[in-house]
Amino acid sequence: MRKYIIALLLRYCGVSFAQTEGAGKYAIKKLTVNTQNSDFGTAFFGEDKLVFASPKKGITLVNDVWVDNNQRYLELYIGDIMPDGDLSNVTLVKGDVNTRYHEADVVFTRDLKTVYFTRNNYYNKKLARDEKQMANLAMFKATVNDKGEWVNIIPMPFNNVEYSVGHPALSADEKTLYFVSDMPGSYGQTDIFKVAINQNGFGNPENLGFKVNSPAKEFTPYVDGEVLYFSSDKDGGMGGLDVYATRLVDYEPEPILLNAPINSSGDDFALIINSKTRKGYFSSKRKGGSGDDDIFSFIEEEPVVFKCAQLITGEVRDKNTTEIIRGAVVSI
């Protein structure tokens, strides 16, 4: 009986990630494609391509500038990933995706045939505005055809003109879509939600709860196996938006603030990582940048490590009499 109880407890504790806590170790590099404007929000397109957002290039037209930062509206670009993590052959994403308004924040399914992305609430050549005449963000789904063109763009059923929806991320089994919104039921300014993907479309959005969300802003979720990365400007960070990691199972322990140089005194957000190579990208508005948000590549030299937060309980009994053995010491 004693052996049986001990083995059971070992299995129970083993569902946790590791024995000690650590916030990771990283080597970073700023990409050469960064401009003096805002470049951010990367997404892997397979193993060798990267999609990101950057303001429109070329001649500025009337009503082509976003008044909030005096930069042109964002478009989506795609480039080839080079061995050192930098990008080459950068071009506009093909298809019906880029409009006269903002497009950013993308995630692809593993087969690269479906993409979810964020855009101002612009559909069928109409820009939807709320009661205050603000054009909120909305999330869309598109098909990627054999030519790499984004076609058959449709809005998510939970978009709403009165609040924003965006920053999509997919679970490892692609049955859950994570996103950011300030919809009713939010804990803070913006929260991370999830919604089930099923044969009939999508379920009802669910807030991830106070273990992830705070009274501040939560942004840019990304799922790596059972780990959720996201950014937040809540108290306790290094400054501005910071990147955190937490477990998707039980959300225990509390989200871990990643170490520098991922986080800095500026805004740090939109971290993605290749689960095999442990190489990835994040965006940052920090000192020494090119002028605004910049894209950085990184290599994870030491992973984030979570505490074993499971509560272990049990009894030690005599094998023959089944009486409790008081004061017994069990080593695991």
Side-chain angles (χ1 to χ4, degrees):
M1 186 66 167
R2 184 182 305 172
K3 290 183 179 179
Y4 173 75
I5 293 174
I6 292 173
L8 176 63
L9 295 180
L10 277 171
R11 286 199 300 271
Y12 184 62
C13 185
V15 303
S16 183
F17 266 70
Q19 296 76 34
T20 58
E21 179 178 299
K25 183 178 179 182
Y26 309 90
I28 71 171
K29 178 183 178 182
K30 187 173 67 173
L31 301 194
T32 60
V33 296
N34 289 311
T35 67
Q36 64 181 0
N37 295 319
S38 184
D39 310 286
F40 69 96
T42 52
F44 292 116
F45 184 68
E47 296 288 330
D48 58 355
K49 293 184 183 298
L50 196 76
V51 173
F52 66 97
S54 185
K56 298 176 187 291
K57 308 297 190 291
I59 300 173
T60 302
L61 303 176
V62 177
N63 298 326
D64 201 18
V65 174
W66 189 40
V67 295
D68 285 33
N69 65 0
N70 201 35
Q71 296 179 23
R72 301 184 71 186
Y73 283 98
L74 297 164
E75 294 190 309
L76 289 169
Y77 293 82
I78 187 169
D80 296 329
I81 299 175
M82 296 191 293
D84 64 354
D86 217 326
L87 299 180
S88 64
N89 304 320
V90 174
T91 60
L92 281 170
V93 169
K94 299 177 181 179
D96 302 325
V97 54
N98 288 313
T99 66
R100 59 177 297 185
Y101 299 104
H102 286 309
E103 284 84 25
D105 300 308
V106 172
V107 68
F108 296 91
T109 53
R110 283 190 303 273
D111 63 9
L112 306 182
K113 294 181 179 180
T114 301
V115 59
Y116 299 90
F117 68 98
T118 309
R119 173 195 284 171
N120 283 121
N121 203 334
Y122 181 77
Y123 186 64
N124 283 339
K125 298 182 179 181
K126 294 182 180 180
L127 181 67
R129 297 182 183 272
D130 64 13
E131 292 182 350
K132 298 179 180 179
Q133 295 303 300
M134 294 291 294
N136 289 312
L137 298 177
M139 197 157 59
F140 296 83
K141 178 183 177 182
T143 299
V144 183
N145 66 22
D146 294 339
K147 297 179 181 179
E149 299 168 334
W150 296 16
V151 297
N152 302 326
I153 294 175
I154 58 172
M156 292 293 97
F158 40 85
N159 289 342
N160 193 296
V161 67
E162 296 299 328
Y163 51 77
S164 286
V165 175
H167 303 275
L170 281 170
S171 62
D173 61 8
E174 300 186 344
K175 294 181 179 180
T176 304
L177 179 68
Y178 296 86
F179 63 94
V180 172
S181 180
D182 58 347
M183 67 173 57
S186 299
Y187 289 89
Q189 298 177 57
T190 54
D191 282 5
I192 300 175
F193 290 77
K194 67 178 180 179
V195 64
I197 303 173
N198 51 53
Q199 293 181 347
N200 298 321
F202 300 90
N204 295 319
E206 300 177 39
N207 192 299
L208 290 196
F210 66 89
K211 290 288 182 69
V212 172
N213 294 311
S214 73
K217 297 177 182 178
E218 273 69 47
F219 279 123
T220 57
Y222 181 79
V223 179
D224 174 34
E226 292 187 357
V227 177
L228 172 70
Y229 292 95
F230 66 97
S231 57
S232 176
D233 62 356
K234 63 183 178 180
D235 292 339
M238 297 184 187
L241 290 167
D242 290 295
V243 181
Y244 291 81
T246 190
R247 293 182 56 201
L248 282 170
V249 180
D250 300 327
Y251 305 115
E252 291 286 357
E254 292 298 315
I256 295 174
L257 176 69
L258 268 60
N259 281 329
I262 294 293
N263 284 317
S264 68
S265 59
D267 287 334
D268 307 291
F269 58 102
L271 182 144
I272 66 172
I273 188 168
N274 184 306
S275 59
K276 297 177 182 178
T277 66
R278 309 313 294 171
K279 296 179 180 180
Y281 296 87
F282 71 101
S283 305
S284 180
K285 186 176 182 179
R286 62 179 63 192
K287 293 180 179 179
S290 299
D292 204 314
D293 299 319
D294 291 316
I295 301 170
F296 291 77
S297 64
F298 72 87
I299 299 174
E300 181 189 74
E301 297 177 337
E302 294 180 9
V304 175
V305 180
F306 297 91
K307 288 181 179 178
C308 180
Q310 304 294 336
L311 176 65
I312 299 176
T313 60
E315 296 175 341
V316 179
R317 295 177 178 270
D318 185 280
K319 182 177 180 180
N320 297 319
T321 66
T322 70
E323 293 182 358
I324 293 176
I325 301 175
R326 308 209 178 266
V329 177
V330 178
S331 297
I332 299 178

